[in-house]
Amino acid sequence: MLYNFTDIPQSLMVNPGAEIQNSAYFGIPALSGIYAGAGSSEISLYDLFSDNGVDFNIKVKNAIYSLNKSDIQRVNQELEILNGGFKLGGLFNKDYISFGIYQELNFFNYWPEDLAILAYEGNATNIGRPFDLSHLSAKGELLTVFHVGFHRKVDDHFSFGVRGKLYSGVIDVSSRSNSGSFITSLGTDNTYRHTLISDVEIRTSGIASLREDDVDGATDVLNILKNKALLGGNLGVGFDFGITYKPSKEWTHTASIQDLGFIKQNKDIETYTLKGAYSLEGINLPFNNIVTGGGLSDNWQELIDDIEEALPYEIVNSSYTTMRPLKLNLASIYNFGERRSSKECNCATDDNSYINSVGIQFFAETHSRYPQAALTAFYYTRIGEWLKLKTTYTVDKFSKTNIGLGLSTHFANFNFYLLADNLIEYYNLANMNNASLQFGFNYIFPLRH
């Protein structure tokens, strides 16, 4: 919803080439931008915890069988610590600089369909069915972003911008590109044969140090996290790019790419791997040795040794690189309804500004299997000089009835904005598949004409 809402200075964060409607601004520290969003396709908390007389175990069963490997669960959160911008003068009067720091939390998970069914049913009723280990695909990250942006208005028709970012990774956990299977079949030397073929990897950074013996209590944990957040973590770089093209007064086209970058994970690393193949048809117990003593434990240890040799479980500390989720925005806007002056002549103002806009926006974000996409139609209007409104209708993986509302208020150069989506579901928060909320406070210096 923030994209193309240019009355809000933070619109530069999603398109560094967006139109700028101030000579300078600064955000109220830690209050200029607060965002939280969560989504789950197919099921909601209401499906599990509603008081509708259905046994909870039945609800869990229905949830497990209603989800597949393409369903997703996600959580996103951002907090602006510092944000500001200002227009340059003199020879650089077409240029604008913005800067800031923000903290970001992301979690994204593809539902592990086969593993969930195996955990729920067990293998007794699934003889001959291979359970696919590639269904395990999840990523979580906590990081701080330091950024500076450059914007240039080339002429009345074209603007562009670029933002450079320095990432300080605090925590990263990911398990992607796994493969393998587990299958139980009829055996030859015993009733069943259990076969595991595995190429599974879980990569972590920033967690091992939290388990050290000298870490005592929440204070020590917070100090470790704070140090990593302030450039003491795993570092990376990234860029945002954006443009605004206005072929006429009525039409505006915009595009942006965010987080074209990476983080080099080379500190506080632990990677867990399970790679190999093993087939088990049970344990042949040496009866005589059990009677005389020591046989059972010796045989059990031999089995463990065989499994560890065939399926080596390792913890390695080699560095790895994580790519940031790349985001793409495209939009076309039609502007109409010229603003009228308050003079008796009721003539149009000189700046040829418009009070209404309609448009369509496409959004996509890369993930390990396929991009997550959304299509949004929106209407924007100004109510006097103090209130701007934007309404949206979005179709995506989570909902086909997502209606959102955004507002931006301006009193004595103070700006407050509030953006919320999926409004028709707010009467029952537990039944929502997707929701996001964003708000903030800024002080804006108006443009000088």
Side-chain angles (χ1 to χ4, degrees):
M1 293 188 65
L2 185 61
Y3 190 74
N4 285 325
F5 205 156
T6 56
D7 302 284
I8 304 171
Q10 278 77 6
S11 63
L12 281 174
M13 297 301 298
V14 289
N15 180 6
E19 288 188 272
I20 294 176
Q21 302 189 27
N22 61 80
S23 60
Y25 80 95
F26 65 85
I28 308 303
L31 291 176
S32 62
I34 299 173
Y35 171 83
S40 176
S41 59
E42 290 301 322
I43 66 168
S44 65
L45 292 176
Y46 182 83
D47 296 324
L48 293 175
F49 299 105
S50 60
D51 186 12
N52 57 4
V54 178
D55 184 78
F56 180 74
N57 293 324
I58 299 298
K59 294 177 182 177
V60 172
K61 179 180 179 181
N62 292 338
I64 290 174
Y65 291 114
S66 66
L67 294 169
N68 60 55
K69 66 177 183 178
S70 297
D71 287 310
I72 57 179
Q73 297 79 44
R74 70 180 185 191
V75 175
N76 309 102
Q77 174 268 327
E78 287 187 17
L79 173 65
E80 283 186 358
I81 301 168
L82 177 69
N83 198 322
F86 57 92
K87 185 178 181 180
L88 300 178
L91 295 176
F92 304 99
N93 60 0
K94 293 184 176 181
D95 301 334
Y96 193 96
I97 302 296
S98 57
F99 58 90
I101 307 170
Y102 65 90
Q103 168 266 320
E104 183 176 353
L105 169 70
N106 296 301
F107 171 77
F108 189 94
N109 175 62
Y110 287 103
W111 180 252
E113 179 183 1
D114 274 13
L115 301 181
I117 292 175
L118 177 61
Y120 182 76
E121 293 184 355
N123 60 344
T125 58
N126 288 289
I127 306 303
R129 172 179 176 173
F131 290 93
D132 193 345
L133 302 186
S134 70
H135 289 190
L136 176 62
S137 180
K139 177 175 175 59
E141 61 177 355
L142 175 65
L143 67 155
T144 305
V145 183
F146 301 79
H147 62 89
V148 59
F150 171 82
H151 175 282
R152 168 165 287 184
K153 182 178 180 180
V154 178
D155 53 36
D156 290 338
H157 299 286
F158 184 74
S159 300
F160 72 91
V162 60
R163 183 175 306 281
K165 294 181 174 180
L166 177 61
Y167 306 116
S168 183
V170 180
I171 291 176
D172 179 82
V173 180
S174 63
S175 184
R176 295 177 166 181
S177 302
N178 297 310
S179 63
S181 64
F182 172 77
I183 186 172
T184 299
S185 56
L186 296 178
T188 55
D189 298 327
N190 212 326
T191 305
Y192 297 115
R193 177 189 294 116
H194 310 285
T195 303
L196 176 65
I197 303 172
S198 175
D199 187 355
V200 174
E201 183 177 78
I202 301 175
R203 304 187 300 185
T204 75
S205 70
I207 294 179
S209 61
L210 302 178
R211 302 196 308 266
E212 297 290 342
D213 294 337
D214 57 350
V215 177
D216 184 17
T219 300
D220 287 349
V221 171
L222 290 175
N223 286 335
I224 293 173
L225 296 179
K226 182 174 66 175
N227 178 66
K228 292 178 179 178
L230 298 176
L231 301 180
N234 292 296
L235 301 180
V237 295
F239 296 93
D240 299 347
F241 302 94
I243 62 170
T244 294
Y245 174 57
K246 303 180 70 172
S248 66
K249 293 189 302 181
E250 291 81 13
W251 284 99
T252 302
H253 308 292
T254 66
S256 75
I257 295 175
Q258 296 171 251
D259 286 318
L260 181 61
F262 66 92
I263 299 177
K264 184 68 173 180
Q265 311 286 353
N266 54 15
K267 300 177 183 177
D268 202 10
I269 303 164
E270 284 185 340
T271 298
Y272 306 89
T273 64
L274 184 63
K275 300 183 179 183
Y278 191 77
S279 184
L280 172 68
E281 286 197 38
I283 304 173
N284 294 318
L285 297 177
F287 182 77
N288 291 333
N289 287 344
I290 293 175
V291 175
T292 59
L296 180 59
S297 61
D298 291 343
N299 190 259
W300 181 255
Q301 186 59 50
E302 181 180 343
L303 173 64
I304 294 175
D305 294 340
D306 289 345
I307 294 176
E308 289 181 345
E309 181 179 353
L311 285 169
Y313 165 77
E314 292 185 274
I315 301 177
V316 297
N317 303 108
S318 57
S319 62
Y320 62 95
T321 300
T322 55
M323 306 302 296
R324 298 303 323 285
L326 185 65
K327 306 174 186 69
L328 170 68
N329 281 288
L330 301 169
S332 290
I333 306 166
Y334 179 74
N335 308 295
F336 62 97
E338 288 184 324
R339 185 188 301 177
R340 299 289 177 172
S341 75
S342 60
K343 298 179 181 179
E344 292 184 0
C345 69
N346 196 33
C347 51
T349 56
D350 294 335
D351 62 1
N352 291 319
S353 59
Y354 293 89
I355 63 172
N356 301 299
S357 301
V358 293
I360 191 165
Q361 174 189 344
F362 173 78
F363 169 81
E365 183 176 21
T366 60
H367 289 285
S368 59
R369 291 182 185 165
Y370 49 82
Q372 297 298 314
L375 189 64
T376 298
F378 61 88
Y379 168 71
Y380 164 90
T381 188
R382 305 180 189 180
I383 302 176
E385 295 295 331
W386 64 275
L387 180 62
K388 285 80 175 178
L389 295 175
K390 181 179 180 181
T391 58
T392 61
Y393 171 73
T394 301
V395 176
D396 60 13
K397 178 75 173 178
F398 302 99
S399 174
K400 304 298 185 294
T401 58
N402 186 340
I403 296 175
L405 176 64
L407 61 88
S408 176
T409 65
H410 299 261
F411 293 102
N413 292 347
F414 279 98
N415 165 238
F416 168 73
Y417 65 93
L418 176 65
L419 312 171
D421 68 353
N422 216 5
L423 296 179
I424 62 176
E425 300 286 349
Y426 269 63
Y427 72 93
N428 187 351
L429 295 177
N431 200 30
M432 298 175 72
N433 288 97
N434 182 55
S436 67
L437 180 69
Q438 186 171 4
F439 64 92
F441 297 86
N442 300 297
Y443 186 86
I444 295 178
F445 297 87
L447 280 172
R448 297 182 296 270
H449 296 285

